[in-house]
Amino acid sequence: MAVFVALGAFLMTLAGGWTAQRVTDRRHLVLGLAGGLMLGVVGLDLLPEALHAAGREVFGVPAALLLFVAGFLVAHLVERLLAARQAAHGGAERHNHRAPEVGLTAAAAMVGHSAMDGVAIGAAFQVNNGMGAAVAVAVIAHDFADGFNTFTLTSLYGNARRKAVAMLVADALAPMVGAAATTLVSIPEWFLGGYLGLFGGALLYLAAAEILPEAHHEHPARSTLLCTVAGVAFIWVVVGLAA
């Protein structure tokens, strides 16, 4: 049942990626929406879930928050190191000072997050069908944003379209793999919380330091800002309906 439900997440993820591909003539609006979706996912979905799952504190600070900050710093460090290496080999100008590896790494993190979504579906169905259905609705609803962001992140950093599509397909398959894995293994809740915190920090860095500045760089329009606000509002509605 969990794997069958995860098929809905697969289709919704592909729909999000397809949408990101089709609106290339409004790139600033796409990036503005992607930034809002990412901000909403981090602040309204990932971080609260991480705080709930991780539980314990380390020297007076919740472990999930420490990992959240660590994820932000790691994303910044990785991007700077890769960008410096790209510049040393004369390739920075070709990709607008962005290293393609950053986009692939971010997309890979999205795939990991989607796999955890599948695990959440499977675990919820192990409790009861009602809980499984509720979790499934939440996952399927926000997987549109996951697919949208996965394709946008990969493309933004200068990767070829085929790589962006490959990462999109991997992201779409991940929930089904995660749901199937719950029939074999059980992931500790504290580990899931730590992962969500780390991933949330990295995602926030990409949204705040890369996606949104790029969206407003050439088109500082109100429409771009409205798309960002709409992205956050969409995730808020999804989280509220799933509560």
Side-chain angles (χ1 to χ4, degrees):
M1 181 57 138
V3 177
F4 177 75
V5 170
L7 178 61
F10 169 84
L11 296 174
M12 190 63 78
T13 302
L14 291 182
W18 180 84
T19 301
Q21 295 180 60
R22 299 295 294 179
V23 290
T24 52
D25 58 328
R26 294 288 185 268
R27 184 170 178 269
H28 60 292
L29 299 180
V30 171
L31 293 176
L33 179 61
L37 290 171
M38 292 164 71
L39 178 59
V41 166
V42 172
L44 307 179
D45 187 17
L46 291 181
L47 194 53
E49 180 62 28
L51 287 168
H52 172 73
R56 68 190 186 91
E57 295 186 350
V58 178
F59 202 62
V61 178
L65 286 183
L66 288 175
L67 287 167
F68 178 79
V69 173
F72 189 97
L73 294 175
V74 167
H76 176 61
L77 178 62
V78 169
E79 187 198 30
R80 290 299 88 203
L81 290 175
L82 290 175
R85 188 184 72 176
Q86 195 80 6
H89 288 82
E93 290 296 327
R94 183 177 60 185
H95 294 302
N96 194 29
H97 299 283
R98 286 184 168 84
E101 295 91 340
V102 173
L104 292 174
T105 301
M110 293 294 292
V111 173
H113 166 58
S114 294
M116 289 298 184
D117 281 345
V119 170
I121 292 175
F125 270 105
Q126 289 179 9
V127 176
N128 59 63
N129 287 339
M131 181 174 291
V135 172
V137 168
V139 169
I140 291 172
H142 89 248
D143 270 353
F144 179 88
D146 285 352
F148 191 98
N149 288 334
T150 298
F151 186 88
T152 302
L153 280 170
T154 310
S155 302
L156 179 64
Y157 282 83
N159 291 286
R161 183 178 180 276
R162 59 182 176 81
K163 290 186 178 181
V165 171
M167 295 306 297
L168 174 63
V169 172
D171 189 48
L173 289 171
M176 300 180 68
V177 174
T182 59
T183 63
L184 304 174
V185 296
S186 178
I187 298 178
E189 188 177 21
W190 63 266
F191 180 85
L192 178 60
Y195 169 80
L196 291 176
L198 188 70
F199 172 60
L203 203 60
L204 180 63
Y205 173 81
L206 293 173
E210 297 294 328
I211 303 296
L212 291 177
E214 180 70 14
H216 291 275
H217 177 61
E218 295 180 357
H219 297 274
R222 293 180 182 176
S223 56
T224 306
L225 179 59
L226 288 175
C227 282
T228 302
V229 174
V232 175
F234 172 77
I235 299 299
W236 187 12
V237 170
V238 168
V239 171
L241 291 175

